[in-house]
Amino acid sequence: MILNTGGRTDTVQYYTKWLLRRFAEGYVLVRNPLFRNKIYRYKLTPDKVDCVVFCSKNYQPILPRLHEITDRFCTYFHYTITAYGKEIEPGVPSIEESMKTLIKLSKQVGKQRIAWRYDPVLLTEEYTIQRHLETFEHMAEVLAPYIDRCIFSFVEMYKKLEVNMPELIPLSEEDMDALAEGLGSIAGKYGIHLQTCGTNGDYTQYGIHASGCMTLDILGKANGIEFRNLKHKGMRKGCHCIESRDIGAYDTCLNACKYCYANKNSEKAIENYQHHDPESPLLLGHVNPEDTITQGEQKTYLKGVQNAGTNH
């Protein structure tokens, strides 16, 4: 099983104590987002988790104790650092501070385990194509020696975004092509493996690779392990990632990024945060009498390792 800690919320930045406690106790409970009384239990032990994948915009809170996880598990880290300021990403540290933290993380876990995410790429009157390319080059020059690859994607125009970001300028095909050409050229200059995420068109002519951002090939090479050759079902339409289990919860991220898909709004996240107990096996609240707990499926993808008949 591939464990995802950051698809629904920035667990690393805001729920560090809870996350470390879950690994120390060896299990976690995850409430089903659609059927609220249904809870899945997952064992957080090296024999049940092939790789732990992190995704965060600030690893500083966990760095002093990260070894408690990396000493026991295979890991991979997605670090999102974009061009945007506090007006778009209120809870995210500055670019300079974020880059310093990424370098610390890289020195601790190894560059082969780190993907820098420069996404979503969006346009406003302030964040023009030229500003993206200038900022990306500044970051690429600093980060190139410390990362395995860089992943970018263009913003998806869903309805919630039209309300949260009225200043957004819709990306045309010409805009995306100009950005891809510029980003590809900069990545090539600094020797960075640049790839798209999801359905973002074909930009191979600019040296940009098309791949899932969480594939067994990427995770295997980063950790020196070999996975079976399996089809990647993806986590949503157009996704080429391997299936994973996310232990987070929606509407709990305090970064309050205006483009966020995982929060209905920042007020709801703040309200939910009041129900967080670091000692609870659930990210939010506790198990209720009407809840049912089911052992989640935890199949291994490792080559040469057979799946047992039961996960209990």
Side-chain angles (χ1 to χ4, degrees):
M1 171 183 125
I2 306 299
L3 190 81
N4 189 338
T5 71
R8 296 174 180 173
T9 190
D10 199 331
T11 316
V12 166
Q13 182 167 3
Y14 297 108
Y15 303 96
T16 301
K17 288 182 180 179
W18 175 83
L19 185 64
L20 291 166
R21 189 180 184 93
R22 295 324 326 132
F23 277 97
E25 294 188 2
Y27 79 99
V28 65
L29 298 182
V30 183
R31 195 175 290 280
N32 187 308
L34 300 177
F35 305 96
R36 302 297 299 168
N37 294 129
K38 191 171 186 179
I39 294 174
Y40 296 105
R41 186 184 194 274
Y42 296 107
K43 294 180 181 179
L44 301 185
T45 53
D47 63 319
K48 291 295 182 183
V49 177
D50 297 331
C51 187
V52 182
V53 179
F54 297 84
C55 188
S56 176
K57 294 180 178 178
N58 183 12
Y59 282 87
Q60 188 59 45
I62 203 171
L63 283 183
R65 295 181 58 193
L66 184 59
H67 65 91
E68 294 175 24
I69 299 174
T70 56
D71 286 351
R72 300 173 57 217
F73 293 86
C74 292
T75 51
Y76 197 79
F77 301 83
H78 291 260
Y79 203 139
T80 303
I81 311 176
T82 68
Y84 314 121
K86 296 286 185 182
E87 78 283 4
I88 293 180
E89 299 176 339
V92 180
S94 69
I95 290 174
E96 300 305 320
E97 190 178 344
S98 295
M99 290 197 297
K100 286 179 183 177
T101 302
L102 185 147
I103 292 169
K104 288 181 189 175
L105 175 67
S106 180
K107 289 179 178 178
Q108 189 169 324
V109 305
K111 64 173 287 185
Q112 77 279 5
R113 289 193 177 97
I114 299 179
W116 162 34
R117 299 194 69 109
Y118 187 84
D119 64 351
V121 177
L122 55 84
L123 296 181
T124 67
E125 286 188 7
E126 185 175 353
Y127 295 98
T128 61
I129 292 174
Q130 187 61 32
R131 179 162 178 180
H132 273 293
L133 298 182
E134 289 173 357
T135 308
F136 184 79
E137 174 145 25
H138 168 60
M139 295 160 73
E141 184 178 13
V142 174
L143 298 178
Y146 303 101
I147 59 173
D148 170 54
R149 64 190 60 227
C150 178
I151 301 163
F152 81 97
S153 63
F154 296 117
V155 69
E156 292 184 33
M157 294 295 293
Y158 45 90
K159 286 187 177 181
K160 185 167 62 175
L161 201 56
E162 294 174 9
V163 177
N164 293 344
M165 288 197 73
E167 70 271 31
L168 206 61
I169 298 172
L171 282 157
S172 67
E173 292 292 334
E174 291 75 17
D175 291 333
M176 290 188 282
D177 195 70
L179 281 159
E181 183 178 12
L183 295 174
S185 175
I186 294 165
K189 179 180 177 181
Y190 295 100
I192 295 174
H193 177 104
L194 182 64
Q195 68 172 77
T196 52
C197 172
T199 53
N200 271 272
D202 181 2
Y203 301 109
T204 50
Q205 70 267 34
Y206 303 130
I208 297 170
H209 306 264
S211 168
C213 53
M214 192 166 64
T215 68
L216 292 179
D217 182 60
I218 292 172
L219 302 181
K221 286 178 180 176
N223 290 281
I225 56 177
E226 194 172 355
F227 289 106
R228 298 200 296 276
N229 185 18
L230 298 171
K231 184 178 179 181
H232 290 43
K233 296 178 181 178
M235 305 307 292
R236 63 188 190 282
K237 188 177 180 181
C239 177
H240 305 291
C241 295
I242 192 65
E243 186 181 0
S244 64
R245 295 288 180 265
D246 197 312
I247 62 173
Y250 293 114
D251 294 312
T252 60
C253 186
L254 302 182
N255 280 330
C257 300
K258 293 179 76 172
Y259 54 75
C260 181
Y261 67 88
N263 281 354
K264 288 188 179 73
N265 56 64
S266 55
E267 290 77 19
K268 182 68 174 174
I270 294 169
E271 178 187 325
N272 282 338
Y273 187 73
Q274 310 308 312
H275 301 289
H276 172 65
D277 177 359
E279 297 188 4
S280 171
L282 285 163
L283 185 71
L284 283 188
H286 299 83
V287 178
N288 302 315
E290 64 272 21
D291 292 331
T292 58
I293 301 176
T294 307
Q295 175 63 39
E297 187 178 54
Q298 294 187 254
K299 288 184 178 180
T300 183
Y301 297 136
L302 290 170
K303 191 173 184 179
V305 179
Q306 296 297 314
N307 283 296
T310 176
N311 287 304
H312 293 276

